[in-house]
């Protein structure tokens, strides 16, 4: 029985006369403690999907179900880690986390709360930067703080909205490992949005492709049957990984081709260059 | 250390100090010297040019209140204001001094008076000398002109008489029938009349020229007169001080009263008959009350400019506080609810452009209605009981001025608060929704902190508007303060009143500048990076 479900969810924007359907008939079922990556093109409605899962956006049709109950409003049991961090700039790292902790665990005493916050600060390796404000932190540190705040809410479902897309490659790799490590220590249901096939394959149990919009919907799901812990360096040589990546990229390139063809027919001539898949040796 | 200082400079907005600190620590001297030239030297040079132009141009414009004062005169006036303030303070303390302190103060005053007596004579003599010298010099300068005047006026007198005589002669010879000749004579008279008027004009110009020479500024004389006035003023002050230290002193007066009381008591004890005793008893009671009130009394000190500045500052803060207490809550409601904003819009649009000159009389009447008896009202008594501001005698005029300040200055805060609350980042709202913050928590933990930089930007505008409005309001309402000081100076027509008004210009400007700086510091302290503050 799936833990988190989307049932026939549709969402559009704009006035009724010329409404653009962003998502149409989205069906999703995520098991408890499963790590699902949703892979999508830019502009395909990934953030809208997270918004709907979090309850921040009301779907036009369909329902969000959590443990077989329909949920409507946002809540701390579905913790979102936003793409642009969404830290409150007037609070320190500690203050940002404490704000969430105070709300989720109102019973804690001041000392208990400070200890609790410290534990999450340590968990994301921000020790020493507790008293800094977000604008004094680098992008990676801000994202860690955001992660700590989300984790500190002890959500049943963790929703990660392209959490690493704004970071440089090194920081990104670092945080990928970190998130996986934390998830393995303290399992919970995760839905991660990304546009990076490697990232998805490295981190997730299952990858679902979001077809390009408008009227985007979830395509086939690819199981990632690579054993954990996964080794970043070794992965590129792993046959199964290569095959998986080829399948997913092939599926996605198919869309690109169709789209390019559509565009060529409708508007402009595209240069006669065909993208190819280069396989790693 | 260096970075701490630089940070403090940055927060306080005194950025012109930064290059000096950097230069002192040897950081890129070329760049710093260029920055110092631009940020410090250029403004100083510009100000010096301004003062130079001012001192050159001011004396050329004569007005009913004398020449436009030069910077030097204005500086003297500023010192005069301060001396007056200090002397009034001296008298105030002298009034309550007792015992040895009084004795020694009295001695000092008498000594000083004895010291300046010969100086007075000297100053008088110097003025007389200077006057003599001036008249001699004027006489010498005007001698040729006066000779010319005498000669010319004599000649013109003779000419006129001769012309008239000739005309009469011709007229006598003209027959009645000779109409043409008579008409020609009429023309000749007109000509004579014209000549006479021209000659008179010429003489008048000559006299004016002599007067101009006599009225020329004579630095030696004005310096001597200034010294004389200064000594005369000090003498007058010392005499008054001695008076306040002796007969007029609070404790001396009380002692005299006690003496009188003792006399009356002994008389009463000896008195015969009910009627006489009753009269004395009433007298004793009256005298005792008087002595008690003398003991409580203080020197009736007139308001001096420094005191008026303090009162103006209190007034602007009361008005500013009142305005902010109205503006911020309404601004928050406007920002939170577009409906409430729509409801408030007509009021904001309608009342914002109204001038303080219109608000003030209305405020005066409304406040007067609430406070029918200013001598016995809880609000007035409450202010009088406060430390630090009790002496300022808060009255309805003060309250009306403060209300006017509030009515004129609150709009900037209101509009900015509404903007700040309405433009809260969607991401922050999403965080609040995800955490299921209650309305209260949302307001105090998310909305207000994110709107704070803009609220403070509004407060800063409000305070500077309020300070401008206040001077006009005080001038109109006669509430003791800087505005009233200007009005008094405009009306009293003393020789240095005009210069004192110029002093006020600089005082008001400097205080306005300081208030703005303080608000900038607050604004910087509540701002976080990326907050919209540039308004």
């Amino acid at each position: 029985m799936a833990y988190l479900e989307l049932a026939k969810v549709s969402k559009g924007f704009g006035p009724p006369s010329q409404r653009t359907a962003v998502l149409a008939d989205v069906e999703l079922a995520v098991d408890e403690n499963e790590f699902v990556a949703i892979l999508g093109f830019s502009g395909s409605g990934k953030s809208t999907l997270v918004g709907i899962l979090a309850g921040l956006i009301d779907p036009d049709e369909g329902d969000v179900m959590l443990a077989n109950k329909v949920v409507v409003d946002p809540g701390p049991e579905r913790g979102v880690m936003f793409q642009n961090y969404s830290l409150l700039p007037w609070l320190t790292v500690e203050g940002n986390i404490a704000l969430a902790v105070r709300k989720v665990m109102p019973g804690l005493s001041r000392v208990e709360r400070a200890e609790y916050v410290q534990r999450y600060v340590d968990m994301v390796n921000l020790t020493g930067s507790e008293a800094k404000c977000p604008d004094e932190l680098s992008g990676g540190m801000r994202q860690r703080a955001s992660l700590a705040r989300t984790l500190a809410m002890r959500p049943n479902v963790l929703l990660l909205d392209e959490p690493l897309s704004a970071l440089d490659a090194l920081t990104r790799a670092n945080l990928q490992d970190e998130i996986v490590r934390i998830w393995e220590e303290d399992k919970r249901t995760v839905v991660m949005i990304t546009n990076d096939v490697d990232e998805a394959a490295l981190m997730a149990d299952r990858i679902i492709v979001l077809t390009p919009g408008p009227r985007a919907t979830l395509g086939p799901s690819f199981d990632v049957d690579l054993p954990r812990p996964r080794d970043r360096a070794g992965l590129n040589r792993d046959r199964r990984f290569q095959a998986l990546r080829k399948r997913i990229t092939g599926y996605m390139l198919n869309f690109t081709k169709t789209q390019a063809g559509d565009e060529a027919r409708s508007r402009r001539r595209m240069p006669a260059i065909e993208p190819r898949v280069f396989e790693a040796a | 250390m260096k970075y701490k200082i630089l940070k403090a400079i940055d927060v306080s907005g005194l950025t012109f100090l930064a290059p000096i600190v950097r230069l002192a620590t040897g950081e890129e001297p070329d760049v710093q010297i260029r920055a110092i030239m631009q940020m410090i030297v250029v403004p100083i040079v510009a100000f010096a040019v301004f003062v130079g132009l001012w001192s050159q141009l001011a004396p050329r414009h004569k007005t009913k209140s004398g020449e436009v004062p030069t910077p030097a005169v204005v500086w003297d006036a500023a010192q005069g204001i301060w001396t007056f303030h200090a002397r009034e303070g001296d008298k105030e303390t002298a009034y309550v001094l007792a015992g040895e302190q009084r004795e020694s103060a009295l001695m000092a005053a008498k000594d000083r008076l004895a010291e300046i007596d010969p100086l007075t004579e000297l100053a008088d003599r110097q003025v007389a000398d200077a006057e003599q010298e001036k008249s001699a010099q004027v006489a010498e300068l005007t001698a040729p002109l006066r000779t010319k005047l005498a000669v010319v006026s004599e000649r013109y007198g003779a000419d006129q008489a001769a012309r008239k005589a000739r005309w009469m002669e011709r007229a006598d010879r003209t027959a009645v029938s000779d109409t043409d000749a008579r008409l020609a004579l009429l023309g000749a008279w007109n000509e004579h009349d014209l000549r006479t008027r021209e000659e008179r004009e010429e003489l008048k110009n000559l006299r004016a020229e002599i007067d101009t020479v006599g009225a020329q500024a004579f630095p030696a004389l004005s310096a001597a007169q200034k010294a004389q006035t200064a000594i005369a003023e000090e003498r007058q002050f010392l005499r008054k001080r001695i008076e306040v230290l002796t007969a007029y002193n609070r404790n001396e007066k009380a002692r005299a009263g006690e003496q009188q009381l003792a006399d009356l008591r002994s008389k009463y004890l000896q008195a015969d008959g009910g009627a006489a005793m009753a009269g004395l008893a009433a007298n004793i009671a009256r005298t005792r009350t008087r002595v008690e009130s003398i003991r409580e009394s203080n020197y009736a000190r007139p308001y001096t400019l420094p005191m008026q500045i303090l009162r103006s500052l209190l007034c602007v803060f009361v008005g500013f506080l009142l305005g902010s207490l109205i503006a911020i809550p309404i601004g928050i409601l406007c920002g939170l609810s577009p409906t409430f904003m729509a409801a408030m819009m007509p009021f904001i649009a309608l009342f914002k452009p109204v001038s303080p000159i219109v608000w003030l009389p209305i405020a005066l009447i409304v406040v007067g209605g609430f406070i029918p008896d200013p001598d016995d009202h809880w609000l007035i008594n409450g202010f009088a009981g406060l430390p630090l501001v009790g002496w300022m005698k808060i009255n309805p005029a003060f309250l009306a001025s403060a209300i006017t300040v509030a009515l004129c200055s609150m709009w900037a805060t209101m509009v900015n608060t509404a903007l700040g609350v309405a433009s809260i980042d969607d991401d922050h709202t999403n965080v609040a929704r995800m955490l299921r913050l209650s309305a209260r928590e949302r307001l105090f933990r998310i909305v207000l902190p994110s709107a704070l930089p803009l609220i403070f930007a509004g407060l800063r505008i409000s305070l500077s508007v309020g300070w401008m409005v206040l001077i006009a309001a005080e001038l109109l309402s006669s509430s003791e303060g800087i505005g009233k000081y200007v009005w008094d100076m405009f009306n009293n027509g003393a020789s240095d009143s005009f210069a004192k008004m110029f002093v006020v210009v600089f005082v008001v400007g400097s205080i306005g500048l300081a208030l703005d700086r303080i608000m900038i510091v607050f604004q910087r302290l509540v701002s976080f990076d990326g907050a919209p503050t540039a308004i």
Side-chain angles (χ1 to χ4, degrees):
Chain A
M1 192 65 220
Y3 185 64
L4 176 68
E5 277 179 279
L6 287 181
K8 284 215 165 293
V9 165
S10 300
K11 178 70 189 173
F13 291 103
S17 58
Q18 43 182 0
R19 197 161 175 86
T20 324
V22 177
L23 297 174
D25 295 332
V26 176
E27 300 270 358
L28 174 71
V30 182
D31 288 332
E32 192 161 9
N33 296 343
E34 192 184 12
F35 195 134
V36 171
I38 292 178
L39 194 60
F41 297 95
S42 24
S44 60
K46 291 180 299 225
S47 291
T48 310
L49 188 62
V50 175
I52 290 173
L53 282 169
L56 294 169
I57 299 174
D58 282 337
D60 295 339
E61 285 167 36
D63 292 314
V64 185
M65 316 248 275
L66 184 67
N68 289 325
K69 283 196 199 81
V70 175
V71 285
V72 182
D73 292 321
E77 79 285 348
R78 279 157 295 151
V80 188
M81 188 169 152
F82 296 95
Q83 189 174 0
N84 45 7
Y85 325 131
S86 288
L87 296 168
L88 303 178
W90 54 89
L91 293 178
T92 59
V93 169
E94 205 172 6
N96 267 290
I97 301 173
L99 177 69
V101 174
R102 189 174 296 155
K103 196 61 199 172
V104 180
M105 275 163 280
L108 292 186
S109 74
R110 183 192 292 267
V111 180
E112 285 170 329
R113 191 164 62 230
E115 278 170 7
Y116 185 86
V117 169
Q118 192 60 47
R119 198 157 78 231
Y120 282 91
V121 170
D122 294 345
M123 189 185 284
V124 298
N125 288 333
L126 270 182
T127 318
S129 302
E130 297 89 345
K132 285 188 178 152
C133 281
D135 60 273
E136 296 170 294
L137 301 177
S138 68
M141 290 165 93
R142 284 183 214 186
Q143 198 53 283
R144 282 168 201 271
S146 174
L147 179 63
R149 176 178 67 186
T150 314
L151 292 174
M153 298 189 315
R154 293 220 175 131
N156 299 328
V157 178
L158 198 57
L159 301 168
L160 311 178
D161 182 8
E162 297 198 53
L164 310 174
S165 60
L167 304 176
D168 62 276
L170 202 64
T171 318
R172 189 174 179 154
N174 223 329
L175 265 175
Q176 283 168 353
D177 293 345
E178 207 109 24
I179 292 173
V180 172
R181 173 180 64 80
I182 292 166
W183 174 74
E184 278 173 354
E185 276 171 18
D186 182 16
K187 289 249 170 150
R188 61 194 64 207
T189 314
V190 178
V191 176
M192 180 177 77
I193 304 278
T194 181
N195 54 14
D196 182 344
V197 183
D198 289 4
E199 182 174 281
L202 180 72
M203 296 169 77
D205 293 330
R206 196 148 63 91
I207 299 173
I208 305 174
V209 179
L210 189 66
T211 64
R215 298 188 62 77
T217 190
L218 288 174
S221 125
F222 301 86
D223 285 328
V224 186
D225 47 3
L226 300 168
R228 290 178 191 273
R230 295 170 187 163
D231 173 28
R232 176 184 302 280
L235 217 51
N236 271 334
R237 286 186 294 279
D238 191 306
R239 282 280 154 204
R240 278 173 298 180
F241 174 72
Q242 284 169 11
L244 176 70
R245 192 165 65 171
K246 192 176 171 191
R247 270 199 298 152
I248 297 174
T249 347
Y251 179 79
M252 291 183 80
L253 277 174
N254 199 27
F255 276 114
T256 328
K257 259 189 215 164
T258 333
Q259 211 171 32
D262 283 349
E263 275 186 20
R265 266 192 300 283
S266 62
R267 273 185 282 133
R268 67 178 99 107
R269 298 170 62 84
M270 297 296 283
I273 300 169
E274 192 172 296
R276 280 170 197 255
V277 181
F278 294 98
E279 281 184 38
Chain B
M1 181 62 193
K2 173 184 166 192
Y3 287 100
K4 266 185 188 160
I5 295 173
L6 286 176
K7 176 92 180 164
I9 285 172
D10 183 50
V11 168
S12 59
L14 302 169
T15 40
F16 64 91
L17 293 175
I20 296 181
V21 174
R22 287 183 197 277
L23 187 65
T25 53
E27 182 188 323
E28 291 179 294
D30 294 353
V31 179
Q32 304 317 329
I33 285 170
R34 209 173 310 131
I36 288 174
M37 288 300 281
Q38 197 167 44
M39 292 161 86
I40 300 175
V41 179
V42 170
I44 289 176
V45 169
F47 197 76
V49 168
F50 163 72
V51 170
L53 275 176
W54 174 15
S55 47
Q56 285 305 307
L57 295 179
R60 297 198 191 170
H61 185 61
K62 317 268 190 239
T63 68
K64 265 195 265 178
S65 316
E67 284 168 5
V68 174
T70 60
V73 176
V74 171
W75 180 246
D76 283 343
Q79 283 176 324
I81 290 173
W82 185 253
T83 312
F84 179 61
H85 173 70
R87 287 180 177 168
E88 284 304 320
D90 270 356
K91 286 188 211 165
E92 193 179 27
T93 42
Y95 183 73
V96 297
L97 280 185
E100 258 176 45
Q101 278 179 316
R102 187 183 69 88
E103 301 281 341
S104 62
L106 189 59
M107 287 291 280
K110 279 182 172 160
D111 287 352
R112 178 68 188 149
L113 194 60
E115 212 171 290
I116 64 168
D117 263 338
L119 292 179
T120 315
E121 278 168 35
L122 185 71
D124 288 350
R125 212 165 42 241
Q126 272 169 345
V127 170
D129 287 351
E131 262 166 0
Q132 216 167 5
E133 199 184 327
K134 182 189 172 179
S135 45
Q137 212 163 346
V138 168
E140 195 189 314
L141 279 173
T142 53
L145 283 171
R146 274 181 295 126
T147 324
K148 191 177 167 196
L149 180 69
V151 171
V152 171
S153 103
E154 201 178 327
R155 194 175 72 221
Y156 285 170
D159 283 0
Q160 281 164 22
R163 280 202 304 272
K164 201 171 175 192
R166 270 204 305 281
W167 193 85
M168 294 283 269
E169 205 187 328
R170 277 170 71 191
D172 282 342
R173 281 189 275 117
T174 320
V176 178
S177 57
D178 197 348
T179 316
D180 287 347
R182 288 202 169 201
L183 285 177
L185 264 177
L186 203 57
W189 179 267
N190 278 344
E191 216 171 279
H192 158 71
D193 201 40
L194 202 66
R195 276 282 292 281
T196 313
R197 254 186 286 162
E198 275 170 10
E199 284 161 5
R200 229 179 266 155
E201 188 68 20
E202 208 184 316
L203 289 175
K204 202 173 119 189
N205 286 345
L206 256 174
R207 282 197 200 97
E209 215 176 315
I210 294 170
D211 286 350
T212 314
V213 174
Q216 255 174 19
F218 204 71
L221 179 61
S222 11
Q225 278 169 336
K226 210 170 102 182
Q228 189 191 31
T229 315
I231 287 178
E233 273 176 2
E234 191 175 356
R235 240 162 85 95
Q236 199 188 7
F237 159 68
L238 285 169
R239 290 218 176 108
K240 184 76 190 169
R241 186 170 156 80
I242 289 168
E243 198 182 316
V244 174
L245 281 168
T246 51
Y248 197 66
N249 182 276
R250 173 166 96 174
N251 303 304
E252 291 303 296
K253 276 201 285 188
R255 205 161 62 189
E258 292 284 2
Q259 188 60 48
Q260 204 182 346
L261 210 56
D263 291 351
L264 282 171
R265 195 170 293 134
S266 61
K267 260 191 218 163
Y268 171 79
L269 291 175
Q270 308 295 323
D272 246 355
M277 279 172 71
L280 282 166
N283 203 345
I284 286 172
R286 220 167 31 238
T287 311
R288 183 174 295 135
T289 325
R290 191 167 58 86
V291 170
E292 269 159 22
S293 75
I294 286 173
R295 283 229 174 80
E296 298 283 293
S297 70
N298 271 312
Y299 177 70
R301 180 179 186 174
Y303 276 97
T304 54
L305 185 59
M307 295 160 76
Q308 282 165 320
I309 290 171
L310 290 179
R311 202 165 184 272
S312 283
L313 280 173
L314 180 71
C315 193
V316 84
F317 278 119
V318 170
F320 175 63
L321 204 68
L322 200 65
S324 308
L325 287 181
I326 299 169
I328 293 177
I330 292 182
I332 291 172
L333 289 175
C334 281
L336 290 176
S337 148
T339 315
F340 190 78
M341 173 81 112
M344 291 309 294
M345 221 45 226
F347 300 102
I348 297 176
L350 192 65
F351 294 142
K352 197 169 74 168
V354 176
S355 154
I357 310 297
V358 181
W359 285 127
L360 182 83
I362 297 174
L364 272 173
I365 294 171
V366 172
V367 170
F370 277 113
I371 307 180
D373 179 13
D375 292 329
D376 184 25
H377 188 270
W378 59 267
L379 191 59
I380 307 286
N381 294 339
F383 268 115
L386 290 177
L388 294 177
V389 303
W391 59 269
M392 290 183 188
K393 298 204 180 62
I394 307 309
N395 55 6
F398 176 96
L399 296 175
S401 304
I403 289 171
T404 306
V405 167
L407 285 172
C408 292
S409 70
M410 66 183 191
W411 310 106
T413 304
M414 196 182 288
V415 172
N416 262 358
T417 306
L419 178 66
V421 170
S423 62
I424 175 171
D425 201 328
D426 271 350
D427 293 337
H428 302 161
T429 322
N430 279 344
V431 172
R433 289 176 65 195
M434 181 174 77
L435 292 175
R436 288 216 185 108
L437 296 185
S438 67
R440 228 181 81 104
E441 286 170 318
R442 215 179 266 211
L443 182 63
F444 285 102
R445 297 202 181 280
I446 310 283
V447 173
L448 280 185
S450 94
L452 218 48
L454 265 177
I455 295 179
F456 268 79
L459 287 175
R460 187 179 143 207
I461 301 172
S462 283
L463 189 57
S464 54
V465 169
W467 183 240
M468 275 204 288
V469 165
L470 175 76
I471 313 292
E474 282 176 341
L475 192 148
L476 208 62
S477 72
S478 287
S479 167
E480 284 294 347
I482 299 175
K484 174 137 187 299
Y485 184 83
V486 174
W487 189 236
D488 290 346
M489 288 303 117
F490 179 68
N491 284 320
N492 77 3
S495 60
D496 58 351
S497 293
F498 201 16
K500 283 180 178 167
M501 286 190 234
F502 277 71
V503 175
V504 170
V505 169
F506 288 96
V507 167
V508 171
S510 322
I511 294 175
L513 177 78
L515 292 179
D516 198 46
R517 285 280 145 203
I518 294 169
M519 288 310 285
I520 286 180
V521 174
F522 280 127
Q523 198 185 336
R524 299 289 291 260
L525 287 178
V526 298
S527 293
F528 40 87
D529 194 51
T533 51
I535 283 186

